[in-house]
Amino acid sequence: MRSCGGENTNVEPKVVTKIETKYDTVVIEKISYVPKWKTKIVTEIDTFQTPIDTLAILRDYYTKYYYSDTLKIDTLGYAVINDTISRNTILARDIRTNILIPTTTITKEIYLNSNEFYWGLGLQGKTDQLNYLGTELLWRTKKRSVYGFGMGVNQNFQPVLSGRMYWKIGK
């Protein structure tokens, strides 16, 4: 078998690599809250140069403003921040997210010692007489056992069937 195998008689294992990427949605519990202020700056004004519409200022003070801001998070998704502002404070803040985290699964399947078939010619005999000439098929199993089957003719041209079994010894 070694002489028919060519220069490289070492059999490389067959490696099959499968890469699968799934996108899992990150679920964040919806929390509506009012943020606390950190710094307060008071401006002292004692006189005004222009006339002031007090009713317009009070209407603006008690009006509710709804702000929505969408933040893109690279290629993973986005976050939407909704704020409700009235009376110079944030009344409510609502954050909604749609973030997809990629999960990559890499699986490697290594097939060592797969079934292999060999075909060749066989002959047997003594130095003065040829007893058998025929074709042979060798089958090596995954468990490294080798079985041989052959068909040929003997010196009288009668059909001959042959069978062989081989086991690996040592490394």
Side-chain angles (χ1 to χ4, degrees), residues 11-14 110-116 140-145 168:
V11 179
E12 293 294 323
K14 182 179 176 183
I110 300 175
Y111 299 107
L112 294 174
N113 307 324
S114 61
N115 289 326
E116 292 180 345
R140 189 185 78 149
T141 64
K142 291 180 183 180
K143 295 183 179 180
R144 301 181 69 103
S145 298
K168 181 169 177 74

Side-chain angles (χ1 to χ4, degrees), residues 28-29 73 92 97 120:
I28 298 175
E29 185 179 324
I73 304 169
T97 59

Side-chain angles (χ1 to χ4, degrees), residues 24 76 98:
D24 298 327
L76 302 176
N98 185 8

